[in-house]
Amino acid sequence: MLLDADDDGALDLYLTAVYEGRRAYLYRNDGTGQFEDATYAAGIRHFNGWGAAAADLDGDGRTDLVAGRIYLNRHPSPGNRLDVRLHGGARPGAASGWSNRDAIGAEVVAVVGGRTLLRQVEGGKGVGCQNGTTVHLGLGAAAKADSLTVRWPSGRKTEMKDVAAGQTLVIDEPAP
């Protein structure tokens, strides 16, 4: 599973192992495509895992992990972040032409200081797991995203400029 555990904008990697006595690993992406083992530094002690899920469970802006139990993210110096919660326009009796209510399948693209971050709202991950549907974007030291684009499953698009870090945006799907 990919997640941004330290909010630097580079996706980190969490791997579970289904075999008896094998542990899971958290690898921190240093932003150059190199990964280092951060499992014990993050306090993760999980063996024989079939899956994992990520979401901000305690509302502190950091992505937490559920893998056999809850691992709250206590990274000592996380970067800035921007969270995006999407609401598709489908309603009972009026779903045609609209995205589903959880916006599963939507893509969120942020440009931050020349870097492009792409995330997707997912409906499931691994065996019996689902990440939170709020899209989490680690911005590193940046105080804002230069631009933010939502590509809705319906084909619509929402575009914003100069979006401040440190907030949770709630975006409703625009009418056709």
Side-chain angles (χ1 to χ4, degrees):
M1 165 179 46
L2 296 171
L3 70 152
D4 190 354
D6 54 4
D7 291 337
D8 65 354
L11 291 174
D12 306 307
L13 178 63
Y14 182 73
L15 298 172
T16 59
V18 298
Y19 301 107
E20 183 76 27
R22 303 288 175 132
R23 72 178 175 102
Y25 292 89
L26 174 64
Y27 293 102
R28 183 187 170 279
N29 183 343
D30 70 3
T32 69
Q34 299 294 313
F35 291 83
E36 65 179 338
D37 187 349
T39 310
Y40 287 109
I44 297 172
R45 310 285 191 273
H46 184 63
F47 289 82
N48 310 332
W50 277 91
D56 181 5
L57 300 173
D58 57 358
D60 67 355
R62 292 179 254 187
T63 302
D64 303 308
L65 184 66
V66 179
R69 71 178 192 87
I70 295 173
Y71 294 96
L72 295 177
N73 186 341
R74 299 291 183 226
H75 192 281
S77 56
N80 290 326
R81 55 99 186 156
L82 176 63
D83 292 323
V84 181
R85 186 174 306 131
L86 303 174
H87 294 149
R91 302 286 188 278
S96 181
W98 290 96
S99 301
N100 61 81
R101 285 298 289 156
D102 289 325
I104 292 170
E107 295 177 343
V108 177
V109 181
V111 176
V112 181
R115 287 185 1 186
T116 300
L117 306 176
L118 170 66
R119 306 292 185 265
Q120 184 176 35
V121 180
E122 302 169 326
K125 184 146 296 285
V127 178
C129 298
Q130 179 176 336
N131 290 338
T133 55
T134 298
V135 173
H136 182 83
L137 300 160
L139 304 183
K144 67 180 176 84
D146 302 316
S147 69
L148 182 79
T149 302
V150 178
R151 296 183 197 131
W152 297 89
S154 66
R156 293 187 188 92
K157 195 186 279 190
T158 301
E159 296 179 303
M160 304 171 81
K161 299 282 186 201
D162 296 321
V163 182
Q167 65 174 319
T168 299
L169 287 176
V170 178
I171 303 173
D172 294 321
E173 182 176 17

